């Protein structure tokens, strides 16, 4: 099938990847407005060897505009939650934070991990102890080719 992809997976010993974050507006699959912020440094690769599961951490918002996007105070709280997510899941490069998506009422943080069982344990024991202002939901799915990440670019 054309075009053939010449991308290769990145070796984990090359982590972390420097890169910039880009933000754009779009729509989710059912047509709702969506904001996407994505780390573009991984776009040159077909994922990272060993990081074969994506992790989606969904945070329903509590203080939004009429359109369902965060008010300034909510934005600050979501930044703190993002920092907590990175502090819990990124040490020792167990997981890589790659994107956020925001649709009306929900912000989702996207990571890739080499240890899905460890993510579940850290979510239950560490993240939920840090994030007490919002309900937080976790989803872990196989995605060795980083298809979700590619869709967000």
């Amino acid at each position: 099938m054309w075009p053939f992809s010449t991308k290769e997976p990145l070796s984990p010993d090359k982590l972390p990847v420097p890169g910039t974050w880009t933000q754009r507006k779009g729509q989710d699959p059912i047509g709702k407005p969506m904001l996407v912020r994505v780390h573009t440094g991984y776009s040159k690769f077909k994922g990272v060897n060993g990081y074969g599961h994506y992790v989606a951490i969904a945070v329903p918002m509590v203080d939004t505009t009429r359109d369902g996007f965060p008010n300034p105070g909510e934005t600050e709280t979501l930044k703190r939650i993002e920092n907590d997510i990175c502090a819990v899941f990124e040490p020792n490069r167990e997981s890589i934070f790659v994107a956020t998506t925001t649709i009306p009422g929900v912000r989702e943080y996207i990571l890739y991990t080499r240890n899905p069982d460890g993510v579940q344990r850290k979510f239950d024991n560490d993240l939920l102890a840090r994030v007490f202002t919002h309900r937080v939901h976790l989803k872990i799915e196989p995605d060795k080719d980083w298809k979700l990440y590619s869709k967000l670019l």
Side-chain angles (χ1 to χ4, degrees), residues 48-123:
V48 177
N49 283 327
Y51 290 77
H53 288 78
Y54 80 80
V55 176
I57 300 171
V59 180
M61 292 181 250
V62 296
D63 183 17
T64 64
T65 64
R66 278 212 257 177
D67 295 336
F69 289 92
N71 277 317
E74 183 79 349
T75 298
E76 289 305 311
T77 301
L78 293 170
K79 285 180 188 175
R80 182 188 53 75
I81 291 171
E82 181 176 314
N83 290 338
D84 288 341
I85 288 168
C86 291
V88 168
F89 298 109
E90 287 191 314
N92 302 315
R93 296 191 183 107
E94 185 171 75
S95 299
I96 306 165
F97 175 53
V98 298
T100 65
T101 61
T102 306
I103 60 170
V106 179
R107 165 115 357 126
E108 194 168 65
Y109 302 90
I110 309 295
L111 302 92
Y112 277 84
T113 189
R114 57 186 167 95
N115 185 357
D117 293 335
V119 166
Q120 181 69 60
R121 191 171 47 258
K122 287 181 177 186
F123 178 83

Side-chain angles (χ1 to χ4, degrees), residues 14-26:
K14 304 283 190 212
L15 294 174
V17 171
T20 58
W21 288 78
T22 187
Q23 184 167 315
R24 65 178 177 76
K25 294 179 181 181

